[in-house]
Amino acid sequence: MKRVAVIGAGTAGLAAAWAAAKAGASVTVYESHEKVGGTTALSGGVSWLPANHLSDDTIEAGLEYMRSLELGDVDRELVEVFVRDSGPVAKRLEDETSLRWAALPYPDYHSEHPGGRPQGGRSLEPLAFDAPDAVRSLIRDAPNRWGTITYAELWAGTADPAELAARKERGTFTAGQALIACLLEACFELGVEVKTGQRITSLPEADAVIITSGGFERDEQQIGRAHV
């Protein structure tokens, strides 16, 4: 059995750990914080995923839009992989985990560009999620966020005060915490080991190491270590 080490327990790390475990690997996730979630847990949890299964978007339109944003420092092959894989990954997560998405009518930031969508549909939000205790105890607090309303409810004005109060009483997760909780639950179900409070300064012993720590791609010192 292949051993896979994942550094960082945000969305990217947990999704990678889940996929590796689904493929039959023995997976360990290392997180420097005492709780899981990284900056995702502090965020709205909205993922920009073109050509997803909840919209009428197309891969061709997504590629056209991404190419219109180029500033000369982009790997076109990686961009194409991202656009082509976004939809299938979003649907697979919904089909095989507790994660459920809602498509938001947020326009693209530059919807005036070729391939842009002023009507939205590329931004997906996790629905509210009641996590089991083993998961709940590991999710990072989000003191910067308030309430349990979702963006979809806020946008449409459909929030039910009684339901919001019930979510607060139950400790229901929304936004980034909901996304993390769903992925963490899926990882636990596959036997993924999650080690918190583990600051990694050298590559762990494993057949493959996946680095998803925040800001890594802009840190020349960390990149240099990874290539040694």
Side-chain angles (χ1 to χ4, degrees), residues 15-222:
W18 175 78
K22 287 284 285 188
S26 173
V27 184
T28 301
V29 177
Y30 298 90
E31 169 58 45
S32 62
H33 198 276
E34 294 298 329
K35 295 293 183 75
V36 168
T39 55
T40 299
L42 305 177
S43 75
V46 177
S47 302
W48 191 85
L49 302 171
N52 65 70
H53 62 295
L54 296 178
S55 76
D56 60 356
D57 190 21
T58 65
I59 291 173
E60 291 71 27
L63 286 171
E64 183 181 29
Y65 178 65
M66 292 292 280
R67 288 166 180 163
S68 77
L69 301 174
E70 288 183 12
L71 297 175
D73 60 348
V74 65
D75 184 326
R76 281 197 167 192
E77 289 186 5
L78 287 180
V79 169
E80 184 164 342
V81 168
F82 167 71
V83 173
R84 292 190 182 280
D85 286 358
S86 289
V89 167
K91 188 172 190 309
R92 184 186 179 194
L93 287 171
E94 192 168 72
D95 288 344
E96 300 181 28
T97 75
S98 297
L99 178 60
R100 297 294 179 268
W101 299 108
L104 298 175
Y106 288 0
D108 290 331
Y109 287 155
H110 295 283
S111 58
E112 75 281 4
H113 281 222
R117 287 179 62 87
Q119 72 273 41
R122 287 171 173 162
S123 295
L124 300 184
E125 173 190 33
L127 297 184
F129 179 61
D130 290 313
D133 290 342
V135 170
R136 181 183 306 280
S137 63
L138 278 176
I139 303 300
R140 183 177 183 180
D141 291 335
N144 58 309
R145 298 190 55 79
W146 55 271
T148 55
I149 192 171
T150 67
Y151 284 117
E153 292 166 336
L154 189 62
W155 189 282
T158 58
D160 177 9
E163 170 60 19
L164 296 183
R167 287 179 190 169
K168 183 177 181 180
E169 181 68 22
R170 296 194 305 268
T172 301
F173 288 129
T174 56
Q177 288 179 310
L179 178 55
I180 290 296
C182 289
L183 293 175
L184 183 59
E185 178 191 56
C187 284
F188 281 163
E189 289 176 349
L190 294 177
V192 172
E193 183 180 16
V194 178
K195 294 185 175 182
T196 59
Q198 300 282 323
R199 182 169 294 279
I200 301 302
T201 58
S202 60
L203 296 181
E205 290 187 9
D207 297 301
V209 178
I210 302 172
I211 301 175
T212 64
S213 55
F216 174 82
E217 73 279 5
R218 296 298 182 183
D219 190 319
E220 294 183 1
Q221 185 178 15
Q222 290 192 65

